[in-house]
Amino acid sequence: MDKPLEDQLDPYIKGYASYNQAVSLFEFGEVIVMKNYKENMKVRILSGGSSCHIEYVGTGMLTASIQGKWNKPPVASLILRTIRELSINHEMGILLVGQGNLNDILNFGLAVERALNDGLKVTFLGIFDDCRNNHYSKRKKRGLSGIVLVNKIAGALAIQDKQMSEIVEYCSKVISNITTIGVSIKNMLGTNQECLSCIKTSMVENNASTYRKTNLKKLTVMDMLSDTTQSLLAEIIQNQQVPLSPGDNIIVLVNNIGALNTSEQCVFMKHCLNFFGSLDIQVVKFYIGHYLQLNYDVDLSVTILKVFDKAVVNLLEVPCNVTGWRPVFQDGPIPVDNNIMPAGLKQKCRLSPSIKGPKLSERVVNIVQLCLHFACNALISCEKMLNTMDAERGDGDTGTRLRILAEVLNKRSCDKKLNFVYPFTFFLTLSKLLENTVGGTMGCIYSIMFEAAANTFAVFPEDEEIRPEMWIKALENSRDALKRYGNVNFGEKTMYDPLATCADLIRRNSTQGRLIYAFEMGVGGAEDIAQSTKPPGAKFPDAGAHAIGIWMRAVCEAVKLRCMD
């Protein structure tokens, strides 16, 4: 027998909901929300992820925080449910701020796209502030503690009655002026202590005095902290993610996750001030303490925010009633049972997509059915080849995942369980099936792409004639969604390259009305660019990119078969 939902919740979340009187726990999952959030008619700020942000829920910062289970990203369905709950009788909109790591961003992105397709007003900002990101692979690029400052500024702007567009514009500038570096002080201390032990043993064997041994130990620890500060800050300056020059003003946030005791924390702060002073860089605000638990091998991070506008300092000084930024607000503990807020949205999340937008003629429906059939059969036949390609650098299961999806789609098509008449509904169905059958990163990526394609048709009335421009725009929207949430750029040898190439070539060659020719050119370009995703020294191109070329070619042949006979 399944446990009640309350018994499945993270004990830390339940404990915090009892500890802080100003917040409540939504009944449907690990979501901490302001108890009086319904009285907040301003833009609502929502954050969360695999790192815990619940201590920043309160007036002046976050309206709610979504926490994943066991330090994993929250699932898209929980994020979407929270967005829907916060959108009830609310018109100002919701700003969703996500900490940069691939899985967090993808889940947030899928929820946002689905919320947009529901007609909700929501905007997303992702923060990849680790200054070493240019040395990491796409999968390992990450955000550190810079999100704390972004959430603080966003919350301050919200309580000043700023519009969503104003908040997003200002916070985007903040993100472009913020950079963070992280380190594990404990690991460095451990290595240093091993070296110290060897030195001490040698000194004992040589009858060195106790005074000299003690003096050496104290000097070594202080030197280590001084040298570490110098190397960390020098790296963040040299990295140039946020260029700094003499005369610049900066805000510093040191996130100490148990690395330093109080004395060492003060010494570290002094070293920081000395370092920036030697460069004639003025520290106008210095925050230090435990601000955010990070799920990496990092126990100390230093965030620098370049003061690009004097108002940024004032925004950080706007009072906020949260335990993570200011002293806690507590009149007495409240049992979790008494602190659960009933949800206002009683209906379940959508199990089947709604019907919306223009519909296809019977002839075009037949073409779409044939396209799906050709694409599925092509992916099924290429399973082993795609698995072999993927095994070179991945798990070796790309072909199998896509084959399973193709078989599910073929069966649902044969059973007449796919709505081909309405493109909006068709693409939403594909999105949900991909998420449930393919799963993983690839499933989420494809789901986001089809959600974005569906959104293209949602804005048109049912009696609107579907024009070729709509299909081209749907492809471009899918491309843009993959770039936005996948944090990819052209030339990085991912599945984005063939998708972007196809969209660009179709757009470029469709101006004279030669649509079949434009499609053929786009697919040919996608196939060519997919082959170029092979890294130096590798035997095969990227499996995901090659799969794009496979199903695109199949769709192209189906269209030519029906439209050129």
Side-chain angles (χ1 to χ4, degrees), residues 123-335:
T123 303
F124 177 78
L125 286 176
I127 304 167
F128 292 82
D129 59 308
D130 190 334
C131 74
R132 295 171 175 149
N133 278 337
N134 56 341
H135 302 302
Y136 298 150
S137 67
K138 276 293 171 185
R139 278 185 162 274
K140 293 186 177 181
K141 291 184 186 300
R142 62 188 186 180
L144 295 173
S145 50
I147 192 172
V148 176
L149 295 177
V150 177
N151 283 337
K152 177 67 182 71
I153 291 169
L157 290 168
I159 64 173
Q160 293 178 359
D161 290 319
K162 300 296 184 181
Q163 297 295 311
M164 173 75 82
S165 58
E166 295 175 289
I167 298 176
V168 170
E169 180 182 4
Y170 198 91
C171 287
S172 297
K173 293 179 181 178
V174 172
I175 293 172
S176 65
N177 282 279
I178 208 165
T179 185
T180 303
I181 193 167
V183 68
S184 175
I185 294 291
K186 289 181 180 178
N187 288 347
M188 298 179 69
L189 277 170
T191 303
N192 226 324
Q193 291 294 349
E194 290 177 6
C195 296
L196 176 62
S197 177
C198 295
I199 296 172
K200 286 180 64 179
T201 301
S202 175
M203 292 179 68
V204 170
E205 291 173 351
N206 289 285
N207 298 317
S209 68
T210 302
Y211 172 79
R212 287 183 60 201
K213 287 188 293 181
T214 304
N215 200 35
L216 175 63
K217 182 177 181 180
K218 288 181 179 179
L219 181 62
T220 303
V221 172
M222 288 298 106
D223 280 349
M224 186 283 305
L225 199 55
S226 173
D227 293 344
T228 300
T229 307
Q230 293 285 327
S231 62
L232 275 177
L233 299 183
E235 182 177 348
I236 204 170
I237 294 291
Q238 293 167 6
N239 186 276
Q240 291 289 303
Q241 181 174 336
V242 177
L244 294 175
S245 305
D248 284 340
N249 292 336
I250 62 171
I251 294 162
V252 178
L253 183 143
V254 176
N255 184 28
N256 177 22
I257 316 170
L260 308 173
N261 60 34
T262 304
S263 299
E264 292 163 348
Q265 185 171 274
C266 292
V267 172
F268 184 81
M269 175 178 166
K270 180 60 176 174
H271 287 322
C272 289
L273 294 172
N274 289 343
F275 177 87
F276 290 118
S278 68
L279 300 177
D280 196 25
I281 296 174
Q282 180 65 52
V283 178
V284 296
K285 267 304 187 191
F286 200 114
Y287 301 96
I288 190 166
H290 188 169
Y291 282 87
L292 185 66
Q293 191 68 34
L294 298 172
N295 297 324
Y296 311 112
D297 188 19
V298 170
D299 57 19
L300 187 78
S301 64
V302 180
T303 298
I304 296 175
L305 171 57
K306 185 177 180 179
V307 180
F308 61 93
D309 175 20
K310 292 182 179 179
V312 73
V313 179
N314 298 329
L315 289 169
L316 289 172
E317 293 178 339
V318 173
C320 59
N321 299 332
V322 301
T323 61
W325 189 265
R326 292 286 188 263
V328 298
F329 301 88
Q330 179 184 8
D331 295 331
I334 303 174

Side-chain angles (χ1 to χ4, degrees), residues 245-527:
S245 305
D248 284 340
N249 292 336
I250 62 171
I251 294 162
V252 178
L253 183 143
V254 176
N255 184 28
N256 177 22
I257 316 170
L260 308 173
N261 60 34
T262 304
S263 299
E264 292 163 348
Q265 185 171 274
C266 292
V267 172
F268 184 81
M269 175 178 166
K270 180 60 176 174
H271 287 322
C272 289
L273 294 172
N274 289 343
F275 177 87
F276 290 118
S278 68
L279 300 177
D280 196 25
I281 296 174
Q282 180 65 52
V283 178
V284 296
K285 267 304 187 191
F286 200 114
Y287 301 96
I288 190 166
H290 188 169
Y291 282 87
L292 185 66
Q293 191 68 34
L294 298 172
N295 297 324
Y296 311 112
D297 188 19
V298 170
D299 57 19
L300 187 78
S301 64
V302 180
T303 298
I304 296 175
L305 171 57
K306 185 177 180 179
V307 180
F308 61 93
D309 175 20
K310 292 182 179 179
V312 73
V313 179
N314 298 329
L315 289 169
L316 289 172
E317 293 178 339
V318 173
C320 59
N321 299 332
V322 301
T323 61
W325 189 265
R326 292 286 188 263
V328 298
F329 301 88
Q330 179 184 8
D331 295 331
I334 303 174
V336 174
D337 290 345
N338 297 333
N339 207 25
I340 292 180
M341 178 178 292
L345 187 66
K346 296 302 180 183
Q347 65 265 34
K348 297 179 180 179
C349 294
R350 57 182 181 182
L351 298 177
S352 57
S354 59
I355 293 177
K356 188 191 298 185
K359 61 181 181 180
L360 302 173
S361 66
E362 183 176 351
R363 176 177 177 274
V364 179
V365 166
N366 291 332
I367 295 174
V368 175
Q369 288 176 321
L370 186 65
C371 289
L372 180 68
H373 181 66
F374 273 35
C376 289
N377 288 346
L379 290 174
I380 291 171
S381 66
C382 294
E383 175 188 2
K384 291 183 179 179
M385 177 182 66
L386 289 172
N387 281 344
T388 301
M389 289 179 171
D390 187 41
E392 188 175 29
R393 298 186 298 279
D395 297 329
D397 62 352
T398 292
T400 300
R401 286 176 178 268
L402 291 176
R403 187 262 301 165
I404 293 172
L405 167 70
E407 291 175 346
V408 170
L409 290 177
N410 271 340
K411 186 176 187 307
R412 289 184 70 90
S413 179
C414 292
D415 294 343
K416 297 182 179 181
K417 292 184 178 179
L418 287 177
N419 188 330
F420 291 94
V421 177
Y422 293 87
F424 174 83
T425 307
F426 175 67
F427 284 125
L428 286 192
T429 303
L430 292 184
S431 172
K432 292 185 71 67
L433 287 172
L434 276 156
E435 182 186 13
N436 295 330
T437 57
V438 176
T441 300
M442 176 171 288
C444 194
I445 287 173
Y446 270 103
S447 294
I448 289 174
M449 288 164 52
F450 284 122
E451 288 280 341
N455 194 35
T456 308
F457 297 92
V459 298
F460 297 101
E462 182 174 341
D463 58 356
E464 181 89 10
E465 179 184 358
I466 295 182
R467 302 177 302 279
E469 168 64 24
M470 296 182 187
W471 295 105
I472 298 174
K473 189 62 178 176
L475 179 61
E476 291 174 337
N477 285 344
S478 297
R479 171 202 63 193
D480 295 342
L482 175 57
K483 177 180 175 64
R484 182 163 56 249
Y485 299 116
N487 191 34
V488 293
N489 293 297
F490 187 83
E492 294 179 346
K493 302 184 183 302
T494 67
M495 60 187 293
Y496 174 77
D497 289 4
L499 190 69
T501 298
C502 183
D504 292 343
L505 287 175
I506 291 176
R507 172 65 70 186
R508 192 183 310 160
N509 290 283
S510 63
T511 54
Q512 303 300 321
R514 302 167 62 188
L515 300 176
I516 301 298
Y517 170 76
F519 194 13
E520 178 73 38
M521 292 296 294
V523 172
E527 291 173 321

